[in-house]
Amino acid sequence: MKKLVFLTGAGMSAESGFATFRDSGGLWEQYDVQKVASIEGYWQDPALVIQFYNERRHQLLTAQPNEGHRLVASLEDKYDVTVVTQNVEDLHERAGSKKVIHLHGELMKATSTDNPNDPDQIVTLTPENIDIKMGQKAKDGSQLRPFIVWFGEAVPMIEPAIDEVSEADILVVIGTSLNVYPAAGLLRYAKRNCKMYLIDPKPINVPMDLNIHVIAKGASAGMKELIEMLKKEE
């Protein structure tokens, strides 16, 4: 069974109505990124940051996986599929993907301020108890915070992601600008004979030395085209 790795970004979930950060009209235009998505911003005003992610969680409750998510999951019947995502929502999982690596954390989880990457401190939030509150404590007694990798923090899941990409027979990039590191550097770990595809309706600066087949469509339409291409190559 061939190994198929997806690297997905905000464009993967745009059709689901989940606000993206970097696009025109995205969240970065409404908020100062340094205030709500950096470790420095959290230390300066934890209440603001916690409320920002509480709002994102409420928004996620109304979002549904789109056809692109479902088509990614459907390929598990024929391939050994891993999804490496820069997204913090759980739409891939809800669409049926079984192996998902979240590079930037998970919106529906909370953790300790003092030990954010300690598995014993991480808790899963539920729709009934979706908000983190100031004064709410993690197991170690520190303030409970979003389980999000902010600017200025290490990306602990990058090593498992590198391992997956380095073994891929097929690598598919969907809805990411390839501008955010360390995720953008993952393509460099692919095998020389790895087939690469990029699905995005917007022009992307693809590294000239990489042989990447570009499908200039959104996630759902692009996945349909990709599946047809993969069928012809079987």
Side-chain angles (χ1 to χ4, degrees), residues 63-204:
Q64 296 296 326
N66 60 55
E67 187 176 14
H69 291 110
R70 292 190 289 272
L71 290 172
V72 167
S74 74
L75 287 171
E76 293 188 9
D77 292 339
K78 292 186 176 181
Y79 298 91
D80 174 11
V81 177
T82 299
V83 177
V84 178
T85 186
Q86 295 167 276
N87 300 337
V88 296
E89 24 77 355
D90 58 355
L91 296 176
H92 276 298
E93 288 90 340
R94 282 159 56 188
S97 288
K98 296 181 179 66
K99 189 173 183 181
V100 183
I101 295 174
H102 286 270
L103 291 177
H104 297 160
E106 298 179 59
L107 188 56
M108 289 302 293
K109 292 183 179 180
T111 190
S112 148
T113 289
D114 290 349
N115 301 286
N117 296 311
D118 180 352
D120 290 338
Q121 304 299 327
I122 300 168
V123 296
T124 300
L125 302 170
T126 64
E128 296 75 30
N129 295 286
I130 202 168
D131 291 334
I132 299 173
K133 300 174 179 64
M134 288 301 296
Q136 189 174 359
K137 298 288 196 290
K139 286 182 183 178
D140 63 4
S142 66
Q143 169 67 44
L144 201 65
R145 57 159 269 188
F147 182 55
I148 301 292
V149 178
W150 289 316
F151 292 111
E153 293 189 299
V155 182
M157 295 307 293
I158 195 67
E159 292 298 333
I162 289 171
D163 291 342
E164 294 293 329
V165 170
S166 66
E167 297 175 1
D169 299 300
I170 305 167
L171 179 62
V172 182
V173 180
I174 307 177
T176 174
S177 64
L178 298 179
N179 286 331
V180 181
Y181 284 85
L186 284 172
L187 275 66
R188 297 293 176 187
Y189 291 93
K191 295 184 293 189
R192 184 166 294 182
N193 62 343
C194 177
K195 291 190 175 181
M196 297 188 194
Y197 301 87
L198 186 146
I199 298 172
D200 202 301
K202 302 185 302 297
I204 302 292

Side-chain angles (χ1 to χ4, degrees), residues 28 31-45 48-49 150-152:
W28 286 162
Y31 295 89
D32 182 338
V33 58
Q34 288 302 319
K35 289 183 178 179
V36 298
S38 73
I39 188 61
E40 293 81 10
Y42 178 69
W43 289 122
Q44 288 174 6
D45 194 343
L48 172 69
V49 176
W150 289 316
F151 292 111

